[in-house]
Amino acid sequence: MTMPTPTLRSKPIIHSDFPTLCDGLDYAATCDTGFNFYTGKGDLKTALPYRELRERAVDVAKRLVKFADKDARIGIAAVSSPEFAVLFFACQYAGLVPAPLPLPVTLGGRSSYERQLQRMAETGDFHALFTPASMESIMSSALNDTNVPVISFEDVLTLPQGDNLRPHGPDGLCYIQYSSGSSSSPKGILGTQFSVSSNCRGITRDGMQMKEDDRGTTWLPMYHDMGLIGFMIAPMMSQLTVDYLDPQDFTRRPMTWLQLISDHKGTLSYSPTFGYELCVRRWREDRELDLSSWRAAGIGGDMVRPEPLTEFAKTFGPMGFAEDAFKPSYGLAETTLAATFAPFGQGLLKHTIDMGRYERTSEAVEASDLTPDEQKRTFVACGTVLPDHAIEIRNFDGDVLGQKQVGQVFLKGPSVSPGYFRNKQATEASFSKDGWLNTGDLGYWLEDQLVVTGRFKDLILWHGRNIWPQDIEWAAQAAAPHRCGLACSFATGGAGDEKNIMLLLECRTRDPQLLDEIYTAVTAAIRLEVGVPVKLQLVPRGTMIITSSGKLSRARVKEKFVTGQIIDLLDETPMKIVKSDTV
């Protein structure tokens, strides 16, 4: 009977203090730890000790050296499987640059997926694309107009084998991480051996303060930086055992995530807020869980929403989950993964501000007893910056701002990417010559901790106010009297104050009476809580487009809307012009 790899390493822990990933895996292979892959029911499918991972990766690397020139890009379908891990590390030993690719279920329909994949292959100038046999047809269809060969994981093992390895040096590349696809042209973010090693060290030594008896558990996809770096590369670089659940299995059976933590005494696990929210919705009190071992329940990948997290702690507190185990953090793929971590034991440091004041002056002033409830907004602090890194909050003139003044978040440090692959224009727009990265996020300082308020490009400017689309979306979802899905808000039309503010809300019904009830309730709530004119349109389930990281792509939903590809359930016809009333 196959057993999962143990928690204890049998060798001293080394916190990612290696110049390259190959050096890290060479050491990890001397330990007893490794990766374990589970079914949706929590049964062990495959155990992959680091020693076996290295053996298999070296074998494949000798084939890849003959297959492609040094630094050639190899697209790899990033399934949560031993095969993906083997191929990714084989590229490291062969001196190739892997590009983990999102899967068809993530990008809103086959045609949309194929367009995105083709753009990635073209911008990355792929030498080949490796995929499971089950996905070979859709990958081949997507790349039909290119000369990029699509090769199954199984057929890679039949390539002729050479004798030599060609590992990356400390100054070499490591991977290309594609942006999550919120725009029409995904950008290839370069990860170097130096930047990745630096960030892994910051994560394991400083942010997570990893211990000898720690064990990771994850359902995060490998094509996103939280999954790839946070739960594959960084754990390997610190010899940590990780238990994996496929992301699709998680969405069907989220309790399996918690069951794995309970069964194997997991201590470290991360999720965007919606993952915790899904567990609360699906909890049926049909099993016994012991979550007392979970010392770091990380939150990242999207805005940290305190209400669902508080509900998670309330629901699973009786099973040993400690609310102060919550560990908000902030990061982005351009800085490899992590930039800030909340201190251990802090939990959710909440800051409720007066949004009316914020929208007028860009100051994060605490709400008072005189602040109307609809003007209050609670943010969560995302912690302090990693050692050897720096963050500045700047206004649009480039001036550095002080406490509780909202501006653009700039970041500098050894983890920052050198830029985007073969995209000089985008690189110059985001990365300064003196090493500062414009993250595109807005935030402020709460003493020494960063509070992130949203993406600058999503901000809606209306009559001198800064309107956050998330506020409109969350108000709509909370007010809907029947089960509704995702909401998406954005501005269309004229410039300045002539623009229209749209709100699309997915509904899981086509019953006219229920739709009318939803419309009436949501319009009333938006009028009360947001106080700006919003045009509401009820749309079918599955209308929204989700990025590879699980985020709502407002830009692509807006593009879909303005080109007449959105159906109005109150009209049942594709619409280019909104007929719904203004809230």
Side-chain angles (χ1 to χ4, degrees):
M1 178 179 176
T2 303
M3 297 294 292
T5 58
T7 296
L8 298 179
R9 295 162 176 75
S10 75
K11 290 288 184 69
I13 182 174
I14 295 181
H15 287 293
S16 307
D17 194 16
F18 303 101
T20 71
L21 267 63
C22 290
D23 292 315
L25 185 51
D26 288 347
Y27 180 76
T30 68
C31 301
D32 293 338
T33 45
F35 300 149
N36 305 294
F37 299 87
Y38 292 85
T39 68
K41 295 183 179 181
D43 298 324
L44 181 65
K45 289 191 294 187
T46 309
L48 183 65
Y50 287 127
R51 66 173 66 89
E52 182 182 341
L53 172 60
R54 184 188 182 281
E55 290 171 0
R56 293 172 62 179
V58 166
D59 175 79
V60 175
K62 291 178 179 178
R63 303 176 191 276
L64 296 182
V65 166
K66 297 188 68 174
F67 175 72
D69 293 336
K70 185 81 159 58
D71 290 328
R73 276 73 55 202
I74 303 292
I76 309 177
V79 291
S80 297
S81 70
E83 291 76 19
F84 170 77
V86 168
L87 289 169
F88 183 90
F89 287 107
C91 287
Q92 304 301 317
Y93 284 104
L96 305 180
V97 183
L101 301 176
L103 307 182
V105 296
T106 62
L107 292 175
R110 176 162 179 161
S111 60
S112 174
Y113 175 75
E114 290 187 357
R115 286 195 301 272
Q116 289 291 87
L117 192 65
Q118 186 173 11
R119 291 187 185 107
M120 291 176 185
E122 290 170 351
T123 58
D125 189 19
F126 290 173
H127 183 78
L129 190 155
F130 298 160
T131 177
S134 61
M135 294 169 54
E136 198 167 357
S137 62
I138 189 172
M139 295 291 192
S140 297
S141 175
L143 302 186
N144 186 51
D145 295 331
T146 73
N147 60 358
V148 178
V150 176
I151 304 174
S152 72
F153 288 172
E154 294 80 4
D155 287 343
V156 173
L157 301 180
T158 68
L159 294 172
Q161 188 175 42
D163 297 323
N164 299 320
L165 296 177
R166 191 179 50 197
H168 289 295
D171 298 326
L173 293 176
C174 183
Y175 60 72
I176 293 178
Q177 172 73 46
Y178 278 96
S179 59
S180 50
S182 58
S183 65
S184 58
S185 298
K187 301 185 290 289
I189 301 159
L190 290 171
T192 68
Q193 298 290 325
F194 177 75
S195 66
V196 174
S197 296
S198 297
N199 202 237
C200 288
R201 186 161 53 253
I203 292 169
T204 64
R205 183 192 65 193
D206 305 304
M208 304 304 288
Q209 298 175 21
M210 203 170 287
K211 302 177 181 179
E212 296 283 355
D213 59 351
D214 274 328
R215 187 182 186 97
T217 312
T218 185
W219 57 266
L220 299 170
M222 295 290 195
Y223 44 78
H224 186 245
D225 46 325
M226 279 177 64
L228 179 70
I229 293 94
F231 281 90
M232 189 180 82
I233 297 177
M236 182 281 294
M237 293 284 275
S238 56
Q239 314 90 50
L240 181 79
T241 279
V242 181
D243 297 317
Y244 291 95
L245 177 67
D246 186 274
Q248 291 188 61
D249 288 330
F250 169 75
T251 59
R252 288 189 290 260
R253 299 171 180 263
M255 288 305 108
T256 304
W257 174 41
L258 304 185
Q259 192 71 60
L260 290 174
I261 294 173
S262 176
D263 291 347
H264 301 285
K265 304 303 178 188
T267 61
L268 311 175
S269 195
Y270 253 75
S271 173
T273 302
F274 78 82
Y276 294 98
E277 190 174 14
L278 185 59
C279 288
V280 173
R281 292 208 307 264
R282 299 284 184 84
W283 175 242
R284 297 293 180 266
E285 299 185 14
D286 58 349
R287 67 185 71 202
E288 291 186 3
L289 296 173
D290 179 3
L291 302 178
S292 59
S293 64
W294 196 358
R295 73 179 187 91
I299 311 134
D302 208 343
M303 290 288 290
V304 180
R305 289 184 289 134
E307 296 83 5
L309 299 172
T310 300
E311 190 64 26
F312 181 91
K314 179 181 176 181
T315 301
F316 296 100
M319 281 142 272
F321 180 81
E323 188 167 4
D324 62 7
F326 280 132
K327 196 171 180 65
S329 59
Y330 168 72
L332 62 164
E334 283 84 349
T335 182
T336 305
L337 173 59
T340 72
F341 286 92
F344 274 103
Q346 174 176 283
L348 303 178
L349 177 57
K350 302 174 185 178
H351 190 224
T352 301
I353 68 171
D354 184 330
M355 286 301 290
R357 178 81 173 268
Y358 172 57
E359 291 168 0
R360 293 190 305 271
T361 68
S362 294
E363 293 177 290
V365 177
E366 284 83 1
S368 70
D369 293 339
L370 299 178
T371 306
D373 289 342
E374 62 270 18
Q375 290 288 316
K376 296 178 180 178
R377 171 80 178 277
T378 299
F379 293 100
V380 174
C382 293
T384 58
V385 66
L386 288 174
D388 304 321
H389 293 69
I391 287 178
E392 290 183 350
I393 307 297
R394 303 179 185 176
N395 64 18
F396 296 110
D397 294 325
D399 302 320
V400 178
L401 301 176
Q403 287 287 313
K404 300 178 184 177
Q405 293 180 299
V406 179
Q408 298 181 93
V409 179
F410 281 75
L411 194 149
K412 185 177 184 180
S415 300
V416 173
S417 166
Y420 302 106
F421 181 71
R422 294 184 181 175
N423 193 332
K424 183 178 179 181
Q425 182 178 5
T427 298
E428 291 179 346
S430 297
F431 300 84
S432 69
K433 292 182 179 179
D434 60 350
W436 286 95
L437 164 68
N438 183 347
T439 67
D441 291 313
L442 296 174
Y444 63 90
W445 288 116
L446 184 64
E447 295 185 355
D448 63 343
Q449 298 200 38
L450 176 69
V451 179
V452 179
T453 61
R455 295 287 292 172
F456 171 69
K457 66 182 180 181
D458 290 336
L459 192 64
I460 300 172
L461 303 178
W462 187 85
H463 286 271
R465 290 181 58 189
N466 300 317
I467 307 297
W468 291 106
Q470 294 96 330
D471 289 342
I472 301 173
E473 294 157 2
W474 296 342
Q477 291 170 312
H482 306 284
R483 290 189 67 195
C484 291
L486 296 172
C488 181
S489 182
F490 49 84
T492 64
D497 295 337
E498 302 302 316
K499 63 173 66 73
N500 295 317
I501 301 177
M502 289 299 311
L503 170 63
L504 309 184
L505 178 63
E506 287 186 349
C507 298
R508 299 187 177 101
T509 179
R510 291 178 182 254
D511 182 285
Q513 182 176 348
L514 296 182
L515 290 173
D516 184 65
E517 292 176 6
I518 293 170
Y519 187 88
T520 301
V522 171
T523 53
I526 296 300
R527 185 181 299 113
L528 175 66
E529 296 190 30
V530 184
V532 297
V534 176
K535 293 186 175 182
L536 171 64
Q537 185 168 320
L538 305 182
V539 300
R541 184 180 183 182
T543 295
M544 306 307 177
I545 299 176
I546 304 301
T547 71
S548 62
S549 61
K551 301 177 185 176
L552 173 69
S553 176
R554 293 184 183 87
R556 295 179 62 208
V557 173
K558 177 179 177 179
E559 179 184 7
K560 189 176 177 181
F561 172 79
V562 299
T563 55
Q565 301 177 58
I566 302 288
I567 292 174
D568 185 350
L569 287 176
L570 295 177
D571 216 19
E572 285 292 331
T573 57
M575 296 184 63
K576 291 187 180 179
I577 301 176
V578 183
K579 297 179 180 178
S580 52
D581 295 331
T582 299
V583 178

